[in-house]
Amino acid sequence: MAAPEQRRIIFQHIDAPGYSNDLACYVKHGGYEILKKAVAMPPAAIIDEVKKSGLRGRGGAGFGCGLKWSLVDRKSGKPIYLVVNADESEPGTFKDRYIIHQDPHQLIEGIMVTCWANNVKQAYIYIRGEMPHGARILEQAIAEARAANFVGPNILGTSYSCEIYVHRGAGAYICGEETGLIESLEGKRPYPRIKPPYFPAVLGLYQCPTIVNNVETLCHVKHIVDMGGDNYAKIGTPNNTGTRILCVSGHVQRPGYYEYEVGKITMGQLLNEVCGGPLPGRKFKAVIPGGSSSKILRFGETFTLKNKDGSSRTLTIEDIPMDFDTLAACGTMGGSGGVIVMDDSVNMVEALANLNAFYAHESCGQCTPCREGSLWMKKITTRMVHANARAEDGQLLKSVADQIAGRTVCAFGEACSWPTQSFVAKFGDEFKAYPETKKQSKNGDALELV
Amino acid sequence: MIAPPKPDLVTVNIDGKDIAVPKGTNVIEAARLIGVDVPHYCYHPKLTISGNCRMCLIEMGNPAVDPATKAPIMDPATGKQKINWIPRPQIGCATNASPGLHIRTNTPQIKDCREGVMEFLLVNHPLDCPICDQAGECKLQEQATGYGRGYSRFIEQKNVKPKRTQLGPRVMLDDERCVLCSRCIRFSKEIAKDDVLGFIDRGSYSTLTCYPGKKLENNYSLNTVDICPVGALTSTDFRFKMRVWFLKQTNSIDTESSVGANTVVWSREGQIYRITPRRNDDVNDTWMADSGRELYKQVRSADRLTTIKVNGADSALDIAINTALQLAKDGGVAVVGSGRSSVEEQFLTKKLADALKASTHLVSRVGQGDKLLISADRNPNVRGALVVGLISTMPEVGPALRAGLSSSVHSLASQPSTQAGSESRPHLSGLTDLAAAIDAGQVKTVISIGEDLAAAGLTAAQLGKISIVYLGTHANATSAAAKVVIPTLSVFEKNGTFVNQQFRIQKFAKAVPGPAGLPAEASAKAGATDDLIVLAGLANIAASDVAAVWKLLAAEVPALGTMSYANIPETGLLLDATPFAALPFAEGETLHFKPAKS
């Protein structure tokens, strides 16, 4: 079956010739018309549309956006904050930065619609520290929008006022975790908060109710208001609505970002047709489907899933539709949309050593299992690659990872242990054989890399 | 006594046992009530919840209800309401009692969680217990034994961190031992209000440190050593001095001020090695000031009085007492009592004054309070003197001082003191009447119970006009001028009670024999004598120990009518303060104390 056409909603103008990131260009392409439409609607109606749309968060967890908004404590009398998570740091993910760089006003319009819907008077864009250029673009765009009365006091002639501030992170992956982000925004170390009691919807920024949404998610909100929740829900597949941006990196002919209706394209179509298949003379070996912390899939494995009617179906990796639910049923996740492809030139022990080094470096150090476990796993894989590997190290790695997942303050525990758990589960043979593999390799300490 | 308000009780089930606890009690405290230990490092009952150590993981479940009807869902097998167990373990410290909450601490999953956390905490721990001061009172040791696997799978290089970082004048940090529980950080911020500690770097390389240009030097810094669950923070005074398992623990009271912080005195073979706070949720929680921990040093100080002197010559107790009574025989006697004496001593001081028809005086010792555990009244027991009737009004405070007290507010955070106890020395006063009586020739003999009359405002000329009988522990201008000097015991060497600012009577016990550390022959020759023996001798009363004095106290002091020394609980008893409500006490607000509105 041929791959479907891309459906570019969010990335409609990305890389379009002649499209620039200034306000004039955005307005020329119909910009801020939806904000005008939104401020004529009652806020509750917008929330209803978002609920009807079935929009799920694009940051990684895939939590229902409408549900998230409905959990916000609106009776506390405290101000409600919107925090835009632009700390795009998940290895393999590169979508938000294109929105910020090339179409910042789309994000700002999405923010303002969301703020209007949730009676938010202050929004913060928390942008990754390594994206200084993006931060400057956003600040410029906000200034333009403010001058044009789309942001700031009494927008569009209404009595509604809302400000947007850009806050630059200082370079920590953990700041993408929403409560770590909030702590950082408050000027503290980004130690994620314990939940309960610190659910952002109730006790978020400055202990006030707070909505934390991903950049891409907020852009979708704009389009939901444009086309209506019901119409939006017709895009994609049931419970996996809308489009999403898939960032493909690694060993394919044409890596890049592609926007498809959720679940309408399979992994096989994406990698073989859209991305042009493996590099010459190579075969696909493994794929991480949703950012580096999602569990790896091994080409050749099959998944038997239950259908709603009780029957079952068997899928190969190539058959898996790129949605939230099927990927979850296959034991991994859609995550942030970062598809990382590895071909048969890759040794999985060495690939894991790379990931473990990342997670050990990024563990905030607040809680014991992640702090000590992530570094221990790194030390093991580093030793395996650069010093003495033992056949039993794979099992030790898995055991260490098992002691982390589910026992930490935040989801970093899972993020750092899932790679190890899945690499060892899917490629246990390679871990067991690694001491032997090293002996046979020419340079004696690692496989010859292509 | 006033009964505390009845808490809102809820029933929770822990390891199959139902227990009623106040709503909101966390699982660690609730489990403690039925003898179930939930191991933990970062949780401390007097600090905010951090939830970082993950040692207190438990399984949690709630009674199942039908989402639509809210009707309980019953389990046909047991006939009880079904429990929905959460598959993911939860932290006990942040899980609060709610009706029907079910907790399991003894499942294979929880055993595995604890073994996992223990293993993680030890992979980068130096395991230098043989040279670590914390050994014997170390949570890592205890919980590794109780909940660890007992072997190591770690063959990598351990992290290397600084071993000797001086965080402040009294606290030393060994970063390799630190388990990053953040108790010390939270204490500094929340209790001492001196936010100087934090972590730098991240992951397993995280390191505790002071903020740039700051030091951990506030007068409560040593509490961080107490609450450090491991050997990361140690006291520069105590470290490497003694293994804790050799030390005897004696309950005592901090004599620094009228707060009366509860303490434990740690001693071995007659020598005191350290003083630590003892938990009393109504007085000092689990804290005490650094300055109070150094008071044991007075026991062996060079200026300790050790020999009974009469007219400058060595003497014996009976001769000294007779000489004193001879001096008092002709009348014109004044007794200067002390707010640092125990209730029992003050009672006998009053008896003595009555017997000699002497006027009584009390030296006030007033400084600035720190709003935490040092109050403005630096006498530990002025209220005891009121209760036993030694005085009926407050000793006068100089007008300048009183004005100063009400206008200036001492801030611990803005003015951290670098030296324990150096902040605002108290002002001694209260002897104006006595000075006038001496000048007028009405008083010829003064018996001072441990008070330095010169420091309290009497001039050298006034001291020269009178005969002085001095009972005290340390040499000073008054002991030098005295005709009779009888060395007595410090608070660490005797039993007794104090009444603190809350009118809470609290007892202290003898930790070491007195005078500690003197050569045996010096002790035998004269030595120091229990104040009660001296006072009973002077007053000619046959009650020279605490138990005997308490028989008299119970009979003669209505407020203490039903009490005895033995039946005062270790956390004290509140006395009726209403008879003294109108008196101008010096204290401002401190922890667990609010002054009555004047």
Side-chain angles (χ1 to χ4, degrees), chain A residues 171 189 191 361-364 366-369 371-373 375-376 379 383 399 403 407-409 414, chain B residues 52-54 88 112-113 116 119-121 124 149 153-157 159 179-180 199 201-204:
Chain A
R189 275 175 80 86
Y191 279 171
H361 184 253
E362 294 298 343
S363 169
C364 77
Q366 179 182 211
C367 71
T368 310
R371 174 181 74 231
E372 301 299 338
L375 183 64
W376 189 3
K379 284 178 175 176
R383 169 176 54 75
S399 165
Q403 286 181 176
R407 300 174 187 185
T408 52
V409 170
E414 283 76 38
Chain B
N52 64 48
C53 75
R54 315 309 283 181
R88 197 183 155 106
D112 188 61
C113 286
E119 180 174 44
F120 284 141
L121 286 174
N124 283 304
R149 288 202 187 95
R153 305 185 290 170
F154 188 78
I155 62 164
E156 325 301 330
Q157 292 269 325
N159 294 348
V179 294
L180 303 164
F199 292 129
D201 294 337
R202 61 193 191 195
S204 188

Side-chain angles (χ1 to χ4, degrees), chain A residues 151-214:
Chain A
V151 174
N154 304 320
I155 63 161
L156 298 169
T158 64
S159 61
Y160 175 72
S161 305
C162 179
E163 295 287 353
I164 306 174
Y165 293 104
V166 177
H167 182 95
R168 285 186 61 196
Y173 172 77
I174 197 62
C175 292
E177 200 278 347
E178 58 181 5
T179 58
L181 187 158
I182 288 171
E183 285 280 299
S184 173
L185 192 51
E186 288 182 5
K188 304 173 192 159
R189 275 175 80 86
Y191 279 171
R193 296 174 174 174
I194 50 173
K195 291 147 274 190
Y198 299 107
F199 293 108
V202 183
L203 296 170
L205 184 62
Y206 309 122
Q207 300 299 311
C208 295
T210 302
I211 301 167
V212 185
N213 276 142
N214 170 261

Side-chain angles (χ1 to χ4, degrees), chain A residues 342-356:
Chain A
M342 290 170 235
D343 67 21
D344 56 357
S345 68
V346 174
N347 180 283
M348 302 315 287
V349 176
E350 290 158 15
L352 182 63
N354 184 314
L355 283 179
N356 281 352

Side-chain angles (χ1 to χ4, degrees), chain A residues 16 52 185 197 205 277 285 299 309 312 353 371 376 427:
Chain A
K52 276 191 253 173
L185 192 51
L205 184 62
K285 181 175 187 178
F299 277 86
D309 58 11
S312 61
R371 174 181 74 231
W376 189 3
F427 297 94

Side-chain angles (χ1 to χ4, degrees), chain B residues 377-416:
Chain B
D377 187 347
R378 301 301 172 81
N379 276 325
N381 197 30
V382 167
R383 284 167 179 75
L386 290 167
V387 169
V388 300
L390 176 63
I391 53 172
S392 55
T393 58
M394 291 296 286
E396 57 172 298
V397 176
L401 184 66
R402 182 159 285 289
L405 274 178
S406 55
S407 64
S408 69
V409 175
H410 177 68
S411 161
L412 191 71
S414 62
Q415 288 180 295

Side-chain angles (χ1 to χ4, degrees), chain B residues 298-339:
Chain B
Q298 65 181 239
V299 172
R300 289 191 164 195
S301 75
D303 59 348
R304 189 77 198 265
L305 292 174
T306 56
T307 22
I308 298 172
K309 300 267 187 190
V310 172
N311 294 320
D314 289 5
S315 187
L317 184 60
D318 51 348
I319 297 170
I321 287 175
N322 279 334
T323 311
L325 292 175
Q326 282 298 317
L327 290 172
K329 193 173 53 141
D330 299 330
V333 184
V335 172
V336 177
S338 174

